[in-house]
Amino acid sequence: MTINAEHDRVISKKRKRGTEKGNELVKGSGKLVKFDDEDDAETKSTHSKQQISVPKPLPVLEPQSNDRRKSKKERAKKVEKTTENFESPPSDVHEIGGKATTSLSGQIHRSNASQPQTKHSTHLAKRSNAHQRNETQVPPHLSKKRDALLSTRKALPIWPHAEYIRAALRKNNVLVLTGETGSGKSTQVPQFLMSEPWCTKTIAITQPRRVAAISLARRVADEMGSLLGNQSPSAKVGYSVRFDNAAGPNTKVKFLTEGMLLQEMLRDPNMSQYSAIIVDEVHERSVNVDLLLGFLRNLVAETDQGTKRRNPLKVVVMSATVDVEGLVAFFDEGLAPLEVKTSDSKDQHNSCSSDSGSGNSSQKIPDIQSAVAKDNDQNARGTNQEQIRTPRISTCHVEGRQYLVKTVYLSEPTQDWVEAALKLIFQIHYKESLPGDILVFLTGQDTIEGLEKLVNDYAEGMDKEVPKLLPLPLFAALPQHAQQQIFQPTPYRTRKVILATNIAETSVTVPGVRFVIDCGKSKIKQFRNRLGLESLLVKPVSKSAAIQRRGRAGREAPGLCYRLYTEEGYKELEERTIPEILRCDLSQAILTMKARGVDDVLNFPFLDRPPREALEKALLQLLQLNALTDVGAISDTGLKIAKLPLTPTLGRVLVEAAERDCLLDVIDIISALSVENIFLNLVTEERKEAAEVARRELYRREGDHMTFLVTVQMYTEEHSDRKSWCEKHFVSHRAMQNVMNVRKQLHQQCTSLKLLSPHASTTSSSSAPSDSKTQAILASLLRGFISNTARLMPDGSYKTLMGNQLVAIHPSSVLFGRKTEAIVFSEFVFTGKAWARGVSAVQLDWVSEVVDAIM
DNA sequence: GAGCACTGC
């Protein structure tokens, strides 16, 4: 049943029944099977099953005010009690001193350190304090904060492992550290290492996302009693993300995004300013992290052989889930074969492991264990003698802090998980007392908005005694202020229902969630090499993603996770999400490798090796862009492109524009292409029509790219009130601010790459672009996007010039519905149909001109 | 005729 059909059904039913309310919902719903969930969802079959009883009559709800206060008090009591009984931190104190929760605007909501701040006077604390005193004068308010935080730090599961971690890295250059959410690894490990004898320079610690890098840096600065790098020259903690560098001359611990470190690596291949690189959140397996690990493996192998660096580079690889063996083998294979011999390699794998987080267990330092010897290594050397492996890669595992979450499956599979989710939302709402918000994982904006409407419609008919339901959508394209709503305190007698995409899986931590509903699907991007087309389709999630989603229910208290699929369905899921590097267009990654000096990309140490076809396709593409020479070496053009924060195609467009004397215009266009949609997505017909009129002065018949140019130009020329200019034209002000950031960065980089004269004006000509200018701009676009061209067919459809692939102009394009002899487009996406987005009209002979120039 | 999950430089 579609959302709309369901919606109609609901409405008509509501009209008929009037007062029967939400109870109706659960009737006829598939029965749910419930399992007790220990740690391991995979072993369910042995667990006792129980049928969830379908709709109880309306639960009698106690007066909420008392109820809520009482339960809070009770919980507080529980914390105290636990603290008395155990030396280890109470499990209620979740993530103390660990990650700060970040909202999307970068605001930080730190978890309260509810740990009583008693005076600890262990020798560790003394040592730490004395150490700090000797170094610099710390302003009193900073040292006060630092001392207050110390007890919280000591309560972290990772704290007892400090000495082990230090010893491991004194002995070996590589440490693989697994630690679950809340273990404190991201904040503590750099602090453990910074006063080590080998640590004469900076420690870098990478994060996949900007907000994480910034909030962790703030947290660690507080813990160390330091300012941030840009606040004072003496600051010891800093961060570096795009558009925001807060690292100072004395920065000892530097948090940065993976992409930022890769860029630094292009300038300084040996990472000579760092003593250690900590790569965090490796399990997310971004393309950047895969490249980093490959580069680091080579670097470690080089320093292992005593070249280039004075002190060997230390590498810590940190990951949440366990693929220790794989990571250990990965780094070990890079090292030179060892001469010595030893007994059975299997027994050598003893690692440090925390004692279920109880904290006081591991004061004794375990032996540093060795990497597992690889069989094929031995075979390669053609000897029957057993090889000795001196320990070379250390491992360590630290428990996290997570409450138990029960998992509930459907007893029968369902096609309509929107309906199933709707039923469950109300079932939970009627059955479970407050507080406890619901987080629903859905696939996209469409289903989210559909379900939001359904929940609202149903909720209208609820009894007045029943607490209210507040559905809140959450997806990346949602305006900032709307996203902020999930961080607002829940109103009195209300339960929030957050309807989210997988943005809530990693990027945004939603507070207050006790119930998770997981539809088991998500939209996955997959690049098709042969067509040069990326598809975005709804696919089943992996087990690890499902586990991650479930974990969102247990961050503040024990929780419940409802999976809108059967237990059998769960077992059939892939173990892990396919790493991005196996799914994406590799041209940018390959260019980065070439720029970093990797000549033989086919034999680059990939953690997961992309298929040869994908690598070759990317090489071919780079060759076509003249980023590589005929022999496959990086060209001058390629080097320039690699340093730009753009895909190789867009980088090539920019270089071409410099030659065709339209660089400033093309920078404006590319800046607009680099951010999310600059034109607001409008819902109602009324607003859509109003927008059509208001944007008339922006739209250009040449297509989207010239429209972007005019929009950016008019925006920059608006000096009085840009915000109201945006409102007037139904343009996203936030997107335009991002455009201006990118534009400024591109101006700077083009200047330093000598594509732009330092004296050039920073604004493109304000008057409407002449025909010849327009043609130069479109020719530059064609140079990069020559394979993204299509011609009009007699039947009115478009087919790509290379590949004869059917393609339609996307409804968001200003050329939507228009017929023109040929088009060039900057995006080629398949979502049920092949769409061209970012489309410009061109003439066929321009296309052949560019083709001739390339051949 | 109809629609994009999420990061990052």
XYZ file of all heavy atoms in Angstrom, chain A residues 601-667:
512
model
N 49.233 2.173 -9.140
C 48.003 2.187 -8.342
C 47.327 0.824 -8.310
O 46.595 0.510 -7.372
C 46.999 3.246 -8.841
C 47.543 4.636 -8.672
C 46.600 2.995 -10.271
N 47.575 0.009 -9.307
C 46.944 -1.309 -9.307
C 47.460 -2.164 -8.153
O 46.785 -3.080 -7.695
C 47.175 -2.020 -10.648
C 46.545 -1.348 -11.869
C 46.863 -2.123 -13.145
C 45.036 -1.212 -11.699
N 48.678 -1.832 -7.689
C 49.228 -2.601 -6.572
C 49.307 -1.810 -5.275
O 50.062 -2.153 -4.371
C 50.611 -3.138 -6.938
C 50.494 -4.300 -7.906
O 49.699 -5.212 -7.695
N 51.245 -4.236 -8.991
N 48.538 -0.760 -5.189
C 48.447 0.007 -3.945
C 47.861 -0.884 -2.850
O 46.991 -1.703 -3.117
C 47.558 1.230 -4.171
C 47.395 2.125 -2.974
C 48.411 3.002 -2.630
C 46.237 2.092 -2.201
C 48.265 3.848 -1.536
C 46.091 2.931 -1.104
C 47.107 3.808 -0.766
N 48.367 -0.758 -1.621
C 47.794 -1.582 -0.541
C 46.400 -1.122 -0.144
O 46.244 -0.299 0.749
C 48.789 -1.398 0.602
C 49.476 -0.111 0.328
C 49.522 0.026 -1.161
N 45.417 -1.672 -0.789
C 44.026 -1.378 -0.418
C 43.589 -2.340 0.675
O 43.883 -3.523 0.605
C 43.100 -1.590 -1.615
C 43.214 -0.551 -2.693
C 43.908 -0.809 -3.867
C 42.613 0.685 -2.539
C 43.996 0.134 -4.867
C 42.701 1.643 -3.533
C 43.397 1.370 -4.702
N 42.877 -1.804 1.642
C 42.266 -2.654 2.660
C 41.231 -3.563 1.978
O 41.069 -4.719 2.341
C 41.598 -1.760 3.708
C 41.448 -2.243 5.131
C 42.718 -2.871 5.650
C 41.026 -1.090 6.025
N 40.510 -2.989 1.036
C 39.665 -3.764 0.134
C 39.988 -3.313 -1.279
O 39.855 -2.123 -1.592
C 38.168 -3.503 0.411
C 37.672 -4.300 1.597
O 37.414 -5.501 1.434
O 37.564 -3.710 2.698
N 40.432 -4.241 -2.076
C 40.870 -3.851 -3.421
C 39.687 -3.705 -4.366
O 38.916 -4.655 -4.542
C 41.833 -4.912 -3.959
C 42.396 -4.606 -5.351
C 43.530 -5.541 -5.667
N 44.546 -5.460 -4.635
C 45.459 -4.497 -4.553
N 45.496 -3.573 -5.478
N 46.312 -4.467 -3.577
N 39.531 -2.516 -4.982
C 38.443 -2.363 -5.949
C 38.706 -3.256 -7.158
O 39.861 -3.589 -7.446
C 38.546 -0.891 -6.350
C 39.404 -0.243 -5.321
C 40.313 -1.305 -4.812
N 37.661 -3.642 -7.863
C 37.863 -4.483 -9.052
C 38.737 -3.761 -10.073
O 38.696 -2.533 -10.193
C 36.450 -4.690 -9.591
C 35.572 -3.751 -8.855
C 36.255 -3.380 -7.594
N 39.506 -4.551 -10.767
C 40.431 -3.999 -11.747
C 39.727 -3.083 -12.748
O 40.236 -2.028 -13.123
C 41.105 -5.167 -12.497
C 42.340 -4.761 -13.225
C 42.905 -5.929 -14.023
N 43.979 -5.438 -14.860
C 45.242 -5.344 -14.471
N 45.572 -5.743 -13.265
N 46.161 -4.860 -15.270
N 38.532 -3.482 -13.129
C 37.754 -2.699 -14.082
C 37.529 -1.275 -13.586
O 37.634 -0.303 -14.343
C 36.407 -3.397 -14.310
C 35.616 -2.832 -15.454
C 34.148 -3.252 -15.407
O 33.782 -4.010 -14.487
O 33.402 -2.803 -16.278
N 37.231 -1.150 -12.282
C 36.963 0.171 -11.707
C 38.226 1.025 -11.711
O 38.188 2.222 -12.017
C 36.427 0.017 -10.291
N 39.353 0.384 -11.386
C 40.621 1.119 -11.377
C 40.982 1.576 -12.786
O 41.402 2.717 -12.996
C 41.731 0.227 -10.808
C 41.610 -0.128 -9.328
C 42.528 -1.286 -8.958
C 41.934 1.092 -8.471
N 40.782 0.680 -13.725
C 41.132 1.028 -15.102
C 40.235 2.123 -15.663
O 40.687 3.017 -16.365
C 41.083 -0.228 -15.981
C 42.331 -1.069 -15.800
C 42.217 -2.433 -16.446
O 41.123 -2.754 -16.953
O 43.217 -3.170 -16.423
N 38.971 2.038 -15.316
C 38.022 3.065 -15.759
C 38.462 4.441 -15.241
O 38.450 5.435 -15.982
C 36.632 2.727 -15.230
C 35.616 3.822 -15.362
C 35.068 3.899 -16.755
C 34.229 5.171 -16.913
N 33.639 5.288 -18.229
N 38.881 4.478 -13.979
C 39.310 5.745 -13.379
C 40.585 6.253 -14.059
O 40.719 7.447 -14.343
C 39.537 5.555 -11.886
N 41.518 5.359 -14.317
C 42.758 5.747 -14.991
C 42.459 6.324 -16.373
O 43.020 7.343 -16.780
C 43.702 4.540 -15.106
C 44.403 4.141 -13.809
C 45.079 2.784 -13.960
C 45.427 5.201 -13.407
N 41.554 5.672 -17.059
C 41.167 6.113 -18.391
C 40.555 7.505 -18.354
O 40.862 8.379 -19.170
C 40.153 5.121 -18.957
C 40.190 4.889 -20.457
C 41.517 4.293 -20.863
C 39.030 3.985 -20.870
N 39.697 7.680 -17.377
C 39.033 8.976 -17.195
C 40.062 10.076 -16.939
O 39.987 11.165 -17.508
C 38.059 8.843 -16.023
C 37.751 10.114 -15.293
C 36.333 10.564 -15.584
O 35.760 10.194 -16.597
N 35.785 11.368 -14.695
N 41.054 9.775 -16.093
C 42.087 10.769 -15.781
C 42.947 11.065 -17.007
O 43.389 12.193 -17.230
C 42.955 10.276 -14.619
C 42.246 10.204 -13.266
C 43.104 9.488 -12.234
C 41.888 11.603 -12.782
N 43.170 10.041 -17.786
C 43.934 10.205 -19.011
C 43.192 11.135 -19.965
O 43.763 12.048 -20.563
C 44.116 8.825 -19.652
C 45.236 8.663 -20.668
C 46.577 8.837 -19.981
C 45.155 7.276 -21.311
N 41.894 10.900 -20.045
C 41.055 11.708 -20.918
C 41.023 13.178 -20.471
O 40.896 14.078 -21.278
C 39.644 11.123 -20.887
C 38.745 11.582 -21.975
C 37.328 11.107 -21.713
O 36.701 11.481 -20.723
N 36.830 10.263 -22.588
N 41.166 13.391 -19.176
C 41.184 14.755 -18.652
C 42.566 15.394 -18.747
O 42.754 16.523 -18.325
C 40.724 14.762 -17.182
C 39.282 14.378 -16.893
C 39.048 14.269 -15.387
C 38.324 15.389 -17.498
N 43.528 14.645 -19.277
C 44.924 15.093 -19.304
C 45.507 15.287 -17.914
O 46.441 16.055 -17.731
C 45.077 16.404 -20.073
C 45.248 16.147 -21.550
O 45.217 14.989 -21.991
N 45.438 17.211 -22.319
N 44.938 14.627 -16.935
C 45.500 14.686 -15.589
C 46.682 13.728 -15.495
O 47.544 13.873 -14.637
C 44.444 14.325 -14.557
N 46.694 12.745 -16.386
C 47.820 11.817 -16.467
C 48.447 11.930 -17.852
O 47.779 12.282 -18.822
C 47.339 10.370 -16.243
C 46.684 10.049 -14.904
C 46.285 8.574 -14.872
C 47.616 10.360 -13.741
N 49.726 11.618 -17.920
C 50.388 11.573 -19.221
C 50.137 10.209 -19.861
O 49.551 9.323 -19.242
C 51.908 11.767 -19.061
O 52.425 10.640 -18.339
C 52.226 13.038 -18.289
N 50.610 10.066 -21.089
C 50.372 8.816 -21.812
C 50.942 7.608 -21.082
O 50.412 6.500 -21.191
C 50.988 8.891 -23.213
C 50.232 9.889 -24.080
O 49.111 10.252 -23.678
O 50.763 10.314 -25.117
N 52.012 7.828 -20.329
C 52.606 6.686 -19.618
C 52.004 6.511 -18.224
O 52.452 5.681 -17.434
C 54.135 6.827 -19.498
C 54.778 6.708 -20.878
C 54.524 8.119 -18.811
N 50.993 7.308 -17.921
C 50.298 7.124 -16.648
C 50.887 7.905 -15.488
O 50.472 7.724 -14.344
N 51.862 8.762 -15.767
C 52.404 9.608 -14.692
C 51.509 10.830 -14.534
O 50.788 11.202 -15.464
C 53.819 10.035 -15.035
N 51.560 11.441 -13.375
C 50.705 12.610 -13.168
C 51.260 13.792 -13.956
O 52.476 14.007 -14.017
C 50.540 12.932 -11.666
C 49.419 13.948 -11.467
C 51.842 13.414 -11.044
C 48.841 13.959 -10.069
N 50.358 14.539 -14.590
C 50.772 15.693 -15.378
C 50.728 16.957 -14.518
O 50.250 16.922 -13.388
C 49.833 15.861 -16.561
O 48.545 16.204 -16.085
N 51.230 18.058 -15.072
C 51.138 19.324 -14.344
C 49.688 19.670 -14.054
O 49.341 20.092 -12.948
C 51.780 20.447 -15.174
C 53.295 20.332 -15.162
O 53.813 19.555 -14.324
O 53.950 20.989 -15.989
N 48.863 19.472 -15.078
C 47.426 19.711 -14.894
C 46.879 18.833 -13.774
O 46.139 19.294 -12.899
C 46.675 19.401 -16.201
O 47.206 20.225 -17.239
C 45.194 19.663 -16.055
N 47.275 17.565 -13.784
C 46.808 16.627 -12.769
C 47.207 17.057 -11.370
O 46.409 16.958 -10.424
N 48.426 17.554 -11.237
C 48.887 18.009 -9.921
C 48.046 19.172 -9.426
O 47.702 19.251 -8.247
C 50.354 18.435 -10.001
C 51.372 17.375 -9.579
C 52.788 17.891 -9.757
C 51.147 16.949 -8.127
N 47.755 20.075 -10.346
C 46.907 21.211 -9.961
C 45.541 20.722 -9.519
O 45.003 21.154 -8.490
C 46.755 22.176 -11.151
C 47.992 23.019 -11.399
C 47.802 23.911 -12.608
C 49.090 24.663 -12.904
N 49.213 24.995 -14.335
N 44.966 19.821 -10.308
C 43.618 19.333 -9.991
C 43.597 18.621 -8.639
O 42.665 18.782 -7.856
C 43.110 18.389 -11.106
C 42.994 19.146 -12.434
C 41.777 17.767 -10.742
C 42.653 18.272 -13.628
N 44.650 17.864 -8.373
C 44.693 17.092 -7.125
C 44.671 18.013 -5.907
O 44.204 17.620 -4.835
C 45.932 16.214 -7.095
N 45.190 19.219 -6.064
C 45.240 20.122 -4.911
C 43.947 20.901 -4.727
O 43.779 21.600 -3.732
C 46.413 21.093 -5.077
C 47.745 20.385 -4.881
C 48.923 21.297 -5.101
C 50.207 20.514 -4.893
N 51.370 21.208 -5.464
N 43.050 20.786 -5.685
C 41.788 21.506 -5.568
C 40.750 20.661 -4.829
O 40.742 19.445 -4.959
C 41.260 21.836 -6.973
C 42.065 22.863 -7.768
C 41.648 22.862 -9.224
C 41.906 24.249 -7.162
N 39.887 21.303 -4.085
C 38.862 20.545 -3.352
C 37.689 20.184 -4.252
O 36.544 20.498 -3.955
C 38.444 21.524 -2.248
C 38.649 22.863 -2.841
C 39.817 22.745 -3.800
N 37.980 19.547 -5.358
C 36.963 19.268 -6.372
C 37.178 17.881 -6.953
O 38.272 17.326 -6.881
C 37.074 20.283 -7.523
C 36.896 21.769 -7.199
C 37.278 22.612 -8.404
C 35.472 22.052 -6.777
N 36.142 17.350 -7.585
C 36.328 16.112 -8.342
C 37.243 16.426 -9.521
O 37.333 17.579 -9.960
C 34.987 15.601 -8.890
O 34.429 16.615 -9.733
C 34.018 15.263 -7.780
N 37.913 15.407 -10.056
C 38.805 15.662 -11.192
C 38.091 16.334 -12.361
O 38.672 17.219 -13.002
C 39.295 14.266 -11.573
C 39.242 13.503 -10.302
C 38.042 14.034 -9.570
N 36.854 15.951 -12.621
C 36.135 16.582 -13.732
C 35.963 18.079 -13.492
O 36.252 18.895 -14.373
C 34.753 15.942 -13.928
O 34.238 15.557 -12.670
C 34.818 14.746 -14.839
N 35.491 18.431 -12.298
C 35.299 19.849 -12.009
C 36.638 20.582 -11.976
O 36.744 21.725 -12.432
C 34.552 20.035 -10.688
C 33.045 19.844 -10.750
C 32.420 19.931 -9.367
C 32.410 20.888 -11.673
N 37.655 19.913 -11.469
C 38.989 20.506 -11.470
C 39.460 20.795 -12.894
O 40.037 21.851 -13.180
N 39.160 19.863 -13.763
C 39.571 20.036 -15.162
C 38.824 21.200 -15.804
O 39.397 21.974 -16.585
C 39.305 18.756 -15.949
C 39.831 18.779 -17.368
C 41.353 18.899 -17.351
N 41.929 19.032 -18.696
C 42.019 20.171 -19.368
N 41.570 21.286 -18.828
N 42.562 20.191 -20.564
N 37.555 21.333 -15.474
C 36.755 22.453 -15.983
C 37.401 23.774 -15.563
O 37.533 24.703 -16.354
C 35.304 22.371 -15.448
C 34.518 23.626 -15.790
C 34.601 21.139 -15.995
N 37.856 23.798 -14.332
C 38.468 25.017 -13.811
C 39.759 25.359 -14.539
O 40.000 26.519 -14.929
C 38.746 24.800 -12.322
C 38.733 26.027 -11.471
C 37.597 25.947 -10.485
C 40.032 26.135 -10.731
N 40.599 24.360 -14.753
C 41.859 24.589 -15.456
C 41.586 25.069 -16.887
O 42.238 25.987 -17.393
C 42.705 23.296 -15.462
C 43.908 23.437 -16.372
C 43.157 22.948 -14.044
N 40.583 24.440 -17.502
C 40.216 24.830 -18.859
C 39.721 26.281 -18.891
O 40.063 27.040 -19.804
C 39.123 23.887 -19.382
C 38.740 24.095 -20.832
C 39.795 23.575 -21.808
O 40.672 22.805 -21.366
O 39.727 23.957 -22.997
N 38.957 26.633 -17.866
C 38.404 27.990 -17.806
C 39.513 29.034 -17.700
O 39.396 30.131 -18.245
C 37.445 28.102 -16.625
N 40.592 28.674 -16.990
C 41.716 29.612 -16.879
C 42.297 29.873 -18.263
O 42.670 31.008 -18.585
C 42.776 29.035 -15.947
N 42.342 28.846 -19.089
C 42.899 29.013 -20.424
C 41.941 29.772 -21.339
O 42.371 30.445 -22.272
C 43.217 27.637 -21.030
C 44.503 27.059 -20.459
C 44.625 25.567 -20.713
O 44.002 25.078 -21.685
O 45.323 24.898 -19.935
N 40.671 29.641 -21.057
C 39.682 30.303 -21.919
C 39.230 31.639 -21.355
O 38.219 32.206 -21.801
C 38.472 29.386 -22.136
C 38.812 28.158 -22.961
C 37.592 27.290 -23.164
N 37.923 26.079 -23.913
C 37.723 25.946 -25.221
N 37.217 26.943 -25.924
N 38.040 24.826 -25.821
N 39.938 32.099 -20.345
C 39.706 33.436 -19.819
C 38.295 33.643 -19.262
O 37.683 34.686 -19.446
C 39.986 34.473 -20.938
C 40.287 35.840 -20.332
O 40.732 35.872 -19.165
O 40.046 36.847 -21.011
N 37.802 32.616 -18.608
C 36.501 32.802 -17.942
C 36.536 32.154 -16.558
O 35.540 31.644 -16.067
C 35.366 32.212 -18.789
S 35.604 30.489 -19.246
N 37.724 32.194 -15.942
C 37.917 31.475 -14.681
C 37.010 31.989 -13.564
O 36.412 31.200 -12.828
C 39.388 31.550 -14.250
C 39.739 30.804 -12.966
C 39.359 29.345 -13.058
C 41.225 30.926 -12.654
N 36.892 33.314 -13.447
C 36.089 33.851 -12.340
C 34.628 33.412 -12.454
O 34.001 33.055 -11.449
C 36.197 35.370 -12.296
C 37.566 35.873 -11.817
C 37.694 37.376 -12.027
C 37.799 35.519 -10.357
N 34.118 33.418 -13.670
C 32.738 32.969 -13.861
C 32.594 31.495 -13.507
O 31.643 31.091 -12.842
C 32.312 33.183 -15.314
C 32.460 34.628 -15.745
O 31.539 35.411 -15.531
O 33.547 34.963 -16.273
N 33.556 30.711 -13.967
C 33.457 29.272 -13.739
C 33.633 28.935 -12.255
O 32.989 28.014 -11.745
C 34.458 28.518 -14.638
C 34.622 27.080 -14.184
C 33.975 28.552 -16.085
N 34.445 29.722 -11.557
C 34.546 29.514 -10.103
C 33.183 29.739 -9.451
O 32.764 28.965 -8.576
C 35.615 30.444 -9.486
C 37.010 29.932 -9.827
C 35.453 30.522 -7.962
C 38.141 30.811 -9.330
